[in-house]
Amino acid sequence: MEGDVKLELETESPPEKPQKHDSDAADLKQGTDYAEEKEIQSSNLETAMSVIGDRLSWEQKAKQGREKELAKVTIKKEDLELIKTEMEISLAAVERSLREHMGNVVEALVTLTN
């Protein structure tokens, strides 16, 4: 096989076409990606708003419950007037403090002076 000659056959491959960028497809993909991202953000926002709404509702109910409990506390009108006059504090602040401290004048005064 000394005399064998290797023949390489050249096969002609079709000429490569220059790659053409399909701008319409790229624009469509970007638009779709943008829309999907906005949809996800919108969904997350709705979920967050629902959680916030639930929490605010719970806090509001707790606050209303607390106010009902405070309204049940009996306070003496004399204690209310004494603290209001001597401390020169609004009637609402004195009443709130007395109710929060179950009518205990000393504790209410300590809170009001701090």
Side-chain angles (χ1 to χ4, degrees), residues 49-67:
M49 293 300 289
S50 174
V51 169
I52 290 170
D54 291 348
R55 181 175 177 157
L56 289 176
S57 175
W58 178 82
E59 287 175 352
Q60 188 176 20
K61 286 178 184 177
K63 186 176 181 181
Q64 288 173 347
R66 173 78 173 142
E67 293 300 319

Side-chain angles (χ1 to χ4, degrees), residues 57-112:
S57 175
W58 178 82
E59 287 175 352
Q60 188 176 20
K61 286 178 184 177
K63 186 176 181 181
Q64 288 173 347
R66 173 78 173 142
E67 293 300 319
K68 284 181 182 180
E69 290 298 317
L70 290 177
K72 292 177 184 177
V73 174
T74 56
I75 54 175
K76 295 178 184 174
K77 187 174 182 176
E78 301 85 38
D79 295 340
L80 188 65
E81 289 297 324
L82 175 68
I83 295 173
K84 177 185 171 275
T85 305
E86 294 298 318
M87 301 293 295
E88 297 179 2
I89 299 175
S90 73
L91 185 62
V94 173
E95 183 178 356
R96 177 74 182 197
S97 183
L98 280 169
R99 290 189 186 280
E100 286 177 348
H101 294 93
M102 309 305 271
N104 186 320
V105 177
V106 175
E107 289 178 10
L109 280 168
V110 168
T111 302
L112 288 169

Side-chain angles (χ1 to χ4, degrees), residues 10-48:
E10 290 185 25
T11 57
E12 287 187 34
S13 60
E16 287 187 28
K17 293 182 181 177
Q19 289 187 350
K20 181 180 174 186
H21 181 66
D22 190 356
S23 64
D24 292 335
D27 290 344
L28 180 61
K29 179 161 177 31
Q30 284 179 339
T32 304
D33 291 346
Y34 178 76
E36 288 173 352
E37 184 178 317
K38 285 297 179 189
E39 187 175 314
I40 290 169
Q41 288 175 353
S42 174
S43 174
N44 290 344
L45 179 61
E46 289 171 8
T47 302

